[in-house]
């Protein structure tokens, strides 16, 4: 293809709206254009790369035995009410009210859609197990869409679901998908880390995220280099610290006036002690059986509450800090003076580290008042103990005791063991060998297609532009004639393009009447794996120049052997993506 025939609106300046490399380069290289907040159009160059990503995913899903479907984007309210997620997902869902008065949703995910199909078609145990998948658009009304296609309101997702008879079959389906995921990301040229994760609103047990290490990632990953374990910070655990202070009470409970002293830092200064001496007591609200409820979470003052762990301990999808009015209603005091001593009518859930806190300090549920000399058992009692702490850099690994590291990552894939959460709520059954009605169990396996494409760019770029892995590149080779108007140069470029295309390579010919430096800058920006330069000087010696974008290596090839040589280089680059 000639550049003159391709809509390729490149930009020389970095767009003000773009703050991360992938977003900047996808706009500058003419891959995407913004339609509205969180919604982007793919232009020809971007679509070619996107189709490469989809193709790799499709090949590996088919290789793993999954069957491809195409579900509607518009799904009826009724199936979402069966699982309770019409209410749970709330404003995140983009809902539609049609002229007949019926409510539907633009699919944010596909558990309900696939389960509804299987409910009608599954009859016998002989049909199980099987895995279904689709690659298509999803819609979520994100409050803060950002980073281009990395977090949009419209996005492309591969979602797959296994339907299995029992846990043994589910384990096998899950492992098959896990293996396929590592193949997919390896072929995309992505360095991923698999981490233990929380299932969140999806439900179920057994969950692993596939993270691309990146400073712009929205997820924090905790890893132990010593024993090669990793987990999302939402689920990461660590070895408990040595007890803070004596585990035995040594002083009586005493109420102390603390006018306008609320934060941990202010309390440390007031009481001349460190943060580990405090019982941080926070009031959270959540929904239970459709009603607003409250709980007090208590943790050592130098630690932070992990709200995902708290929600899991309470058995609810999510929790949020109570506002000022609710804190006053629950504790009788403003924010900053809450504590478990004397508190009634509210569940108290405490982190395990609080067990070792003796003679601690906490709010007295009264304005400008705190208690010191606080001890569990004597002065207050936890209704439940749980791991509530957010793991930090340097905490000890719970398995080997070595220091943990924390890094940021982009989630490109997530797999779950869902169990019967959806099949039971939607009434899916089959007849077993004995003619008994049984409920199948499910696994869920998702990949963010746009996000994977953007992550490839995040991991493969430099100051000049994109450095596409050969497996994802929109074109394999760009041919840059120094002077397109020179007849011999033009003829050689056209002949080489035909020869390369005959060998199966995708070729972009830069036939613009522009300066060589301008063309070279664009070639680096677009980032195709191989660049061939044809000029009058090299033609005089019967040669062309080549350069590899990934590492900058280059050289010369005889014009008559250039096509075969470049094709061999391309095969090597593709093989590197399979290694």
């Amino acid at each position: 293809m000639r550049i003159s025939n391709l809509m390729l609106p490149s930009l020389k300046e970095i767009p003000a709206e773009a703050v991360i490399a992938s977003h900047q380069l996808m706009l500058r290289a003419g891959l995407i254009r913004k339609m509205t907040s969180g919604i982007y159009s793919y232009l020809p160059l971007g679509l070619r790369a996107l189709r490469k990503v989809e193709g790799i995913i499709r090949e590996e899903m088919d290789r793993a035995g999954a069957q491809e479907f195409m579900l509607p984007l518009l799904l009826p309210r009724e199936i979402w009410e069966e699982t309770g997620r019409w209410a749970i997902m709330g404003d995140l869902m983009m809902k539609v009210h049609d002229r007949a008065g019926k409510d539907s949703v633009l699919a944010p995910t596909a558990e309900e859609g696939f389960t509804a199909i299987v409910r009608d078609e599954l009859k016998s145990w002989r049909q199980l197990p099987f895995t279904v998948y689709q690659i298509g658009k999803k819609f979520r009304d994100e409050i803060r869409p950002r980073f281009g296609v990395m977090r949009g309101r419209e996005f492309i997702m591969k979602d797959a679901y296994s339907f299995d008879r029992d846990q043994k079959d589910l384990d096998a389906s899950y492992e098959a998908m896990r293996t396929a995921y590592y193949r997919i990301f390896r072929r995309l040229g992505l360095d991923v880390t698999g981490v233990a994760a929380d299932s969140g609103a999806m439900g179920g047990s057994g969950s692993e995220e596939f993270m691309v290490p990146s400073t712009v990632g929205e997820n924090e990953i905790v890893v132990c280099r010593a024993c090669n374990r990793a987990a999302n910070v939402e689920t990461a655990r660590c070895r408990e610290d040595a007890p803070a202070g004596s585990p035995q009470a040594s002083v009586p409970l005493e109420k102390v006036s603390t006018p306008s002293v609320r934060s941990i830092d202010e309390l440390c200064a007031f009481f001349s002690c460190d943060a580990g001496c405090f019982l941080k007591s926070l009031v959270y609200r959540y929904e239970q059986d459709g009603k607003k409820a409250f709980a007090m979470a208590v943790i050592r003052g130098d630690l932070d509450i992990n709200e995902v762990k708290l929600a899991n301990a309470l058995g609810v999808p999510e929790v949020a800090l109570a506002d000022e009015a609710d804190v006053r209603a629950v504790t009788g005091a403003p924010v900053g003076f809450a504590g478990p001593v004397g508190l009634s009518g509210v569940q108290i859930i405490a982190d395990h580290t609080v067990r070792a806190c003796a003679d601690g300090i906490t709010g007295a549920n009264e304005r400008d008042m705190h208690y010191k000399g606080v001890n569990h058992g004597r002065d207050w009692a936890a209704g439940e103990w749980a791991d509530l702490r957010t793991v930090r850099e340097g905490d000890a690994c719970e398995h080997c005791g070595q220091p943990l590291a924390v890094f940021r990552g982009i989630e490109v894939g997530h797999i779950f063991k869902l169990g019967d959460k959806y099949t039971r709520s939607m009434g899916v059954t089959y007849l077993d060998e004995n003619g008994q009605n049984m409920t199948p169990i499910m696994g869920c396996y998702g990949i963010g297609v746009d996000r994977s494409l953007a992550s490839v760019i995040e991991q493969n770029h430099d100051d000049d532009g994109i450095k596409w892995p050969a497996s994802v590149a929109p074109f394999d080779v760009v041919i840059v004639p120094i002077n397109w108007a020179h007849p011999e140069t033009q003829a050689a470029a056209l002949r080489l393009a035909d020869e390369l295309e005959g060998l199966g390579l995708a070729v972009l010919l830069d036939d613009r009447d522009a300066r060589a430096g301008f063309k070279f800058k664009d070639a680096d920006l677009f980032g195709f794996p191989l660049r061939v330069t044809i000029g009058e000087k090299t033609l005089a010696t019967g040669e062309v120049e080549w350069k590899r974008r990934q590492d900058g290596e280059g050289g010369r090839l005889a014009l008559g052997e250039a096509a075969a040589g470049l094709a061999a280089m391309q095969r090597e680059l593709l093989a590197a993506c399979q290694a």
Side-chain angles (χ1 to χ4, degrees):
M1 179 176 284
R2 300 188 183 189
I3 279 187
S4 61
N5 295 330
L6 182 66
M7 182 174 283
L8 191 54
S10 61
L11 304 173
K12 300 308 173 188
E13 302 297 326
I14 297 175
E17 67 184 89
V19 296
I20 66 171
S22 59
H23 191 193
Q24 293 170 355
L25 291 169
M26 291 181 84
L27 289 171
R28 286 190 58 215
L31 274 62
I32 59 172
R33 285 296 180 263
K34 182 178 177 179
M35 183 66 68
T36 187
S37 177
I39 298 177
Y40 287 81
S41 299
Y42 277 91
L43 278 59
L45 200 65
L47 189 59
R48 289 178 70 98
L50 185 73
R51 292 291 183 246
K52 289 278 194 78
V53 175
E54 290 179 351
I56 289 171
I57 293 172
R58 185 171 281 111
E59 287 173 11
E60 293 300 341
M61 294 302 294
D62 292 348
R63 177 180 173 184
Q67 306 171 64
E68 186 172 9
F69 284 57
M70 180 184 290
L71 270 61
L73 297 179
L74 201 61
L75 297 173
R77 172 176 180 163
E78 290 76 16
I79 61 175
W80 293 86
E81 287 184 326
E82 289 181 54
T83 62
R85 291 210 295 175
W86 181 265
I88 290 173
M89 296 193 74
D91 292 339
L92 190 63
M93 301 172 79
M94 291 190 175
K95 299 174 182 177
V96 177
H97 188 73
D98 68 19
R99 68 179 68 190
K102 293 184 177 180
D103 291 324
S104 301
V105 61
L106 289 171
T109 181
E111 285 80 8
E112 283 81 359
F114 269 114
T115 305
I117 293 173
V118 171
R119 174 172 58 189
D120 294 336
E121 304 303 328
L122 178 61
K123 308 299 180 186
S124 167
W125 64 274
R126 298 180 189 277
Q127 295 171 260
L128 297 169
F130 59 84
T131 299
V132 297
Y133 80 97
Q134 68 169 348
I135 300 175
K137 290 190 174 182
K138 297 291 183 293
F139 302 85
R140 295 179 189 173
D141 199 2
E142 297 283 355
I143 297 175
R144 289 180 295 276
R146 56 179 180 163
F147 298 161
V149 299
M150 198 72 83
R151 179 171 290 279
R153 295 193 298 150
E154 176 186 284
F155 55 95
I156 300 169
M157 185 175 179
K158 188 284 299 178
D159 34 22
Y161 304 90
S162 63
F163 290 82
D164 302 280
R165 294 187 65 187
D166 52 31
Q167 190 64 44
K168 180 181 177 182
D169 283 353
L170 175 56
D171 290 345
S173 297
Y174 184 92
E175 188 57 34
M177 287 296 102
R178 185 174 183 272
T179 300
Y181 272 41
Y182 278 111
R183 287 199 301 262
I184 288 167
F185 296 128
R186 184 170 62 248
R187 290 182 61 185
L188 293 178
L190 283 173
D191 172 25
V192 300
T193 298
V195 303
D198 178 71
S199 298
M202 297 298 186
S205 63
S207 179
E208 184 172 355
E209 291 173 337
F210 295 82
M211 293 288 183
V212 173
S214 171
T215 56
V216 303
E218 295 182 305
N219 298 82
E220 283 192 314
I221 313 304
V222 179
V223 61
C224 177
R225 308 292 185 192
C227 58
N228 198 29
R229 298 174 188 266
N232 191 301
V233 73
E234 294 174 344
T235 62
R237 299 171 63 93
C238 63
R239 186 171 292 181
E240 290 188 18
D241 304 330
S246 169
Q248 299 296 321
S250 61
V251 297
L253 182 67
E254 180 183 351
K255 187 181 288 187
V256 179
S257 175
T258 54
S260 301
V261 180
R262 302 186 184 206
S263 71
I264 291 294
D265 288 342
E266 291 170 343
L267 288 164
C268 287
F270 185 89
F271 286 99
S272 300
C273 62
D274 61 43
C277 296
F278 294 91
L279 278 61
K280 186 189 297 182
S281 305
L282 302 173
V283 179
Y284 283 87
R285 61 175 173 81
Y286 57 96
E287 282 197 14
Q288 193 166 53
D289 300 326
K291 298 180 180 179
K292 186 164 65 173
F294 298 96
M296 176 176 282
V298 184
I299 195 167
R300 208 174 68 205
D302 59 333
L303 303 175
D304 292 320
I305 295 286
N306 183 315
E307 293 182 356
V308 171
K309 289 182 179 180
L310 176 60
N312 289 338
L314 291 169
V316 297
E318 61 182 356
V319 297
L321 278 170
D323 59 25
E324 179 78 31
D326 285 334
V327 171
R328 286 180 180 272
V330 170
T331 68
V335 171
F337 300 99
V341 179
L343 188 69
S344 61
V346 177
Q347 181 176 0
I348 299 175
I349 183 167
D351 182 73
H352 294 301
T353 54
V354 176
R355 294 180 188 270
C357 293
D359 299 333
I361 301 166
T362 193
N365 297 322
E366 183 179 341
R367 177 185 287 275
D368 295 338
M369 300 297 292
H370 280 77
Y371 281 118
K372 68 176 184 178
V374 177
N375 290 275
H376 181 266
R378 185 191 71 182
D379 306 313
W380 67 284
E384 182 179 350
W385 295 95
D387 170 28
L388 302 180
R389 72 186 288 180
T390 298
V391 174
R392 304 171 299 187
E393 181 96 18
D395 283 340
C397 172
E398 68 170 337
H399 300 284
C400 70
Q402 294 300 304
L404 295 169
V406 179
F407 68 89
R408 303 200 72 82
I410 301 166
E411 179 192 336
V412 290
H414 202 164
I415 58 178
F416 309 85
K417 293 180 182 178
L418 289 174
D420 64 2
K421 174 180 172 65
Y422 296 94
T423 50
R424 187 167 297 281
S425 63
M426 295 185 70
V428 183
T429 61
Y430 66 91
L431 293 178
D432 68 6
E433 301 97 317
N434 302 314
Q436 299 296 312
N437 275 321
M438 304 296 290
T439 300
I441 57 178
M442 291 174 63
C444 169
Y445 319 96
I447 290 177
V449 181
D450 319 72
R451 185 175 289 191
S452 293
L453 178 61
S455 297
V456 168
I457 297 172
E458 283 292 331
Q459 282 197 338
N460 296 273
H461 73 274
D462 59 17
D463 292 341
D464 295 319
I466 303 169
K467 300 166 72 171
W468 289 112
S471 58
V472 185
F475 289 94
D476 303 314
V477 180
V478 59
I479 298 176
V480 181
I482 297 295
N483 181 7
W484 179 249
H486 182 248
E488 288 79 8
T489 298
Q490 186 175 135
L494 289 170
R495 185 168 60 252
L496 179 57
D498 286 343
E499 291 173 353
L500 287 169
E501 288 173 348
L503 293 172
L505 277 71
V507 181
L508 186 63
L509 175 60
D510 193 341
D511 61 343
R512 295 175 294 180
D513 182 16
R515 292 178 290 104
F518 181 87
K519 293 182 178 184
F520 292 153
K521 289 292 288 184
D522 267 1
D524 285 343
L525 173 62
F526 301 144
F528 309 126
L530 294 168
R531 186 184 84 197
V532 181
T533 304
I534 302 178
E536 295 176 42
K537 290 183 178 180
T538 53
L539 280 179
T541 63
E543 295 175 311
V544 297
E545 293 182 351
W546 64 270
K547 184 178 181 181
R548 202 161 48 215
R549 178 70 177 98
Q550 193 65 241
D551 58 11
E553 290 293 318
R556 292 192 175 192
L557 288 168
L559 182 58
E561 301 171 358
L566 291 165
M569 292 182 201
Q570 175 66 3
R571 287 193 296 271
E572 291 177 2
L573 292 172
L574 281 173
C577 296
Q578 305 279 5

